Amino acid sequence: MATILLIGDSPTDRAVFTQWLERAGHQVLAADNAEDGLKLAREHHPCLVLMDVVLPGMSGFQATRALARDEATRQIPVLIVSTKNMETDKAWGLRQGAVDYIVKPPREEDLIARINQLVN
């Protein structure tokens, strides 16, 4: 079981991903904006961050970069899960420090399999 931080502003996505993660045996922390998510990451040191890109205020790209540059959080892998599906978006997300980029909507099995690879 791993602690996963979910950062996304869609209540529906947060509910669905939380259900999937908990069903897979993971513990979930959630934030609806990047600023709160960064605070949770620093306080709880989750095993993985699931990051949306389009967020109010700070974008998921900016938050991923902040996590990657912060000594306290740089070891936490960030998996971006976003509706932005251009190759340039994926490349930019990886350049900001994400370990992978999955386009929404993911299949439950695929998302959980990728998360399990990253946290084990």
Side-chain angles (χ1 to χ4, degrees), residues 61-84:
F61 290 141
Q62 292 169 310
T64 298
R65 185 171 53 244
L67 289 168
R69 290 183 177 174
D70 187 330
E71 190 65 40
T73 58
R74 71 169 21 133
Q75 79 287 355
I76 303 169
V78 176
L79 173 58
I80 293 177
V81 183
S82 177
T83 56
K84 295 178 72 66

Side-chain angles (χ1 to χ4, degrees), residues 6-62:
L6 176 57
I7 302 175
D9 64 336
S10 165
T12 302
D13 285 350
R14 283 196 315 273
V16 169
F17 292 162
T18 296
Q19 182 182 30
W20 292 357
L21 291 164
E22 288 177 346
R23 187 167 37 227
H26 299 298
Q27 188 173 42
V28 179
L29 301 169
D32 62 4
N33 63 69
E35 293 83 0
D36 290 347
L38 292 175
K39 183 189 281 187
L40 284 172
R42 289 184 192 107
E43 290 173 5
H44 297 278
H45 300 283
C47 301
L48 176 83
V49 174
L50 280 185
M51 180 78 70
D52 194 1
V53 170
V54 180
L55 297 167
M58 178 186 291
S59 76
F61 290 141
Q62 292 169 310

